[in-house]
Amino acid sequence: MQLPAERRTYGPLSDSLPESGEEPDKVLDEVCARMVEEGFHVPSANYFGLMNPTPTYMGVVGEALVAALNPQLATLARSQLASKIELETVRWVGERVGWNGPFSGTFTSGGNEANFSGMAMALAAKFPQAVEDGVASIGGRAVAYASAESHHSLDKSAGLLGIGRKGLRRIPLNAKLQLDCRALEEAIRQDLAAGARPFSVIATAGTTNCGTVDELEDLSATCHRHALWLHVDGAYGAAAIFSDAHRHRVKGIELADSITIDPHKWLAMPFAAGIVLTRHPEVLERTFAVAAPYMPKAAGAKLPDNSRISAQWTRRMNSLKLWITLRVHGRKAYEELIDRQMGLALDFAEWVRASDSFELVAAPVLPIVAFQWKHRNLSPEQRAAIHNGIVEEITGDGRRWISETQVNGRSAMRMMVISYLTEERHLGELEAALERAAKRLSKETADVEL
Ligand SMILES: Cc1ncc(COP(=O)(O)O)c(C=O)c1O
């Protein structure tokens, strides 16, 4: 999957800018060989890493078509079919959410941009004047709420939107590692009493570390009580809507005002493909539409120009790969993928439960398993050092990949089933490698008082 640890380097390449060209065969042979030999292969059955999938074949074909035809998504007039395909794909996804009233949405470069768009809409919904006059016109500090485990793209967005990163209140977790609804109520109450202007709650459906899903129905009720916009960051977990058997895992997602879902995570699309959806099409336009006289106009247009509903202007067609995959394989293929990956991850969690060396950090809700070394009387530093040692041992030969992270401030190891190539035997091999690492560690630490 990648070079063994001792052969990995991270410095820059040093070739100078070519003045004249070389034979394409030679260049392609060289780059292909090096990308394979020296690359880090996300599309591997043994990639148990972050939310990066093995792309579907149809997705790869779709990408090549888009690169060659280069449709310009900014205006409907210059991308009739491309725009229609894009909006149809958005409609298919929105219908799976369970929305049957009006809704809209747009493809993005990924979850970061989709979350930014959701927060920008939330701000424009509550404070319409801020779109033109800026956050200074709000008359109080604008604040939004998300859990301590929500993704860091939200901090970036808060900074970029001008509410400041401190304007994103990080709410503590409950025992299930979800946003604690009571702590949220208390934070809103304190902010209101201090003259701040709350505008949004950002729930997570599938946290990066553990795959936890916040209590979406309760958060929706809180949002109603305080007239706040509910954005659900389902960059990873919202894809569960494609499985009839597992959609209950993101129950309540249909109550959101806007949703992030990244096809380049669980839906196995090549980068880049994110989507932001909203039940408030008018707010999407309010947030992003800018008139530009030079833009070509489509006579009798029934669909919006994409530049009016997106943070981007010129835009790549990120939808074709998903549309083609759905046309060729159908929604049920995703159902199968999701069901199988859930099953594999739950089996791995059972193995952890039965292990003498490891234990779960949380019961898995989605195919992400966070686990830790079982010894209890460890300092946080000792625990992190042990976890990092195990991860290095597992990943050292370059054949498989898991990671170390912090869950609610405590070191944990983390694996997820994300490649459609992963089968039971790959998990068996991972388990055997973890056993070997555990045996070595137990031996090494036998004489040390832990
Ligand atoms: C829960 C969550 N939201 C948002 C993002 C950001 O998505 P992207 O990397 O596609 O911009 C990630 C990335 O892993 C994520 O895990």
Side-chain angles (χ1 to χ4, degrees):
M1 205 176 77
Q2 66 172 326
L3 289 171
E6 62 280 7
R7 289 179 55 207
R8 292 174 209 155
T9 57
Y10 299 100
L13 297 176
S14 54
D15 287 349
S16 48
L17 170 72
E19 284 296 323
S20 25
E22 294 171 74
E23 279 305 308
D25 284 4
K26 175 175 170 289
V27 177
L28 283 173
D29 283 353
E30 181 195 312
V31 75
C32 287
R34 289 192 63 186
M35 289 285 277
V36 171
E37 161 74 5
E38 297 170 47
F40 182 98
H41 302 300
V42 165
S44 157
N46 287 314
Y47 180 81
F48 306 108
L50 303 175
M51 294 158 168
N52 308 316
T54 301
T56 67
Y57 289 110
M58 284 302 128
V60 174
V61 171
E63 280 296 79
L65 249 180
V66 167
L69 297 174
N70 213 17
Q72 164 56 288
L73 258 286
T75 76
L76 182 61
R78 292 292 171 271
S79 64
Q80 294 93 321
L81 182 61
S83 281
K84 286 181 202 171
I85 287 179
E86 176 121 347
L87 286 162
E88 178 159 89
T89 318
V90 164
R91 175 168 57 75
W92 288 346
V93 177
E95 284 169 358
R96 279 306 293 181
V97 168
W99 287 342
N100 41 30
F103 65 85
S104 180
T106 190
F107 271 71
T108 64
S109 58
N112 191 58
E113 185 195 334
N115 281 342
F116 173 81
S117 305
M119 286 179 73
M121 281 190 280
L123 202 61
K126 183 88 176 178
F127 311 114
Q129 79 282 9
V131 175
E132 293 296 330
D133 297 331
V135 288
S137 66
I138 290 171
R141 169 154 217 175
V143 290
Y145 306 88
S147 92
E149 278 286 300
S150 62
H151 193 259
H152 297 91
S153 52
L154 303 177
D155 300 294
K156 265 196 199 194
S157 298
L160 292 172
L161 286 167
I163 67 165
R165 293 184 181 183
K166 288 184 183 159
L168 179 73
R169 310 285 203 232
R170 292 283 187 166
I171 305 297
L173 307 174
N174 65 19
K176 290 181 175 169
L177 302 176
Q178 300 162 310
L179 192 158
D180 185 326
C181 294
R182 267 195 276 169
L184 172 64
E185 277 289 349
E186 180 56 23
I188 296 172
R189 205 190 51 74
Q190 280 181 14
D191 275 330
L192 287 171
R197 306 290 309 274
F199 68 97
S200 182
V201 173
I202 301 131
T204 307
T207 56
T208 317
N209 284 324
C210 283
T212 307
V213 178
D214 286 334
E215 292 176 313
L216 304 179
E217 289 172 335
D218 290 356
L219 293 177
S220 166
T222 305
C223 285
H224 269 121
R225 259 194 307 282
H226 298 283
L228 305 177
W229 178 283
L230 178 63
H231 178 74
V232 174
D233 177 3
Y236 168 63
I241 58 174
F242 278 83
S243 161
D244 287 341
H246 290 291
R247 62 173 302 139
H248 67 91
R249 293 176 188 273
V250 294
K251 191 161 58 96
I253 195 168
E254 68 283 357
L255 302 171
D257 294 292
S258 58
I259 300 172
T260 289
I261 171 168
D262 273 2
H264 70 199
K265 293 188 166 64
W266 210 354
L267 297 180
M269 288 296 106
F271 308 131
I275 302 176
V276 63
L277 297 168
T278 178
R279 284 193 288 130
H280 309 283
E282 72 293 354
V283 177
L284 186 61
E285 282 225 40
R286 183 192 303 164
T287 308
F288 292 117
V290 176
Y294 76 89
M295 293 292 271
K297 288 151 201 75
K302 295 200 182 84
L303 300 174
D305 280 330
N306 261 288
S307 69
R308 295 175 63 82
I309 57 170
S310 166
Q312 299 181 34
W313 203 281
T314 286
R315 189 153 66 75
R316 195 168 195 281
M317 187 188 186
N318 285 337
S319 53
L320 186 65
K321 50 199 166 196
L322 181 60
W323 188 84
I324 291 190
T325 301
L326 282 164
R327 284 288 305 273
V328 170
H329 297 287
R331 195 269 311 165
K332 285 189 180 155
Y334 278 123
E335 178 156 284
E336 266 175 53
L337 171 92
I338 289 164
D339 296 359
R340 191 158 46 81
Q341 293 188 339
M342 273 308 312
L344 287 170
L346 292 177
D347 286 351
F348 181 81
E350 275 316 305
W351 174 83
V352 173
R353 277 196 185 97
S355 159
D356 292 333
S357 314
F358 303 105
E359 63 190 354
L360 292 175
V361 168
V365 178
L366 298 174
I368 299 180
V369 184
F371 59 108
Q372 62 183 3
W373 183 242
K374 210 166 186 169
H375 291 272
R376 285 182 186 280
N377 50 343
L378 294 175
S379 70
E381 294 73 27
Q382 280 175 318
R383 187 176 292 282
I386 285 177
H387 289 165
N388 277 308
I390 294 173
V391 168
E392 256 172 52
E393 186 156 333
I394 299 295
T395 57
D397 65 5
R399 293 183 50 209
R400 57 183 64 82
W401 206 78
I402 61 169
S403 58
E404 189 267 347
T405 186
Q406 302 265 322
V407 176
N408 204 14
R410 280 168 60 95
S411 172
M413 289 173 288
R414 176 191 179 287
M415 68 79 77
M416 70 185 293
V417 182
I418 183 74
S419 171
Y420 60 75
L421 301 173
T422 301
E423 297 171 5
E424 264 168 48
R425 65 194 164 101
H426 302 108
L427 290 181
E429 286 160 14
L430 173 63
E431 289 158 10
L434 282 165
E435 283 294 359
R436 281 194 299 277
K439 253 200 201 124
R440 184 190 55 71
L441 250 181
S442 304
K443 240 193 228 145
E444 272 174 22
T445 53
D447 302 327
V448 184
E449 250 333 272
L450 284 176

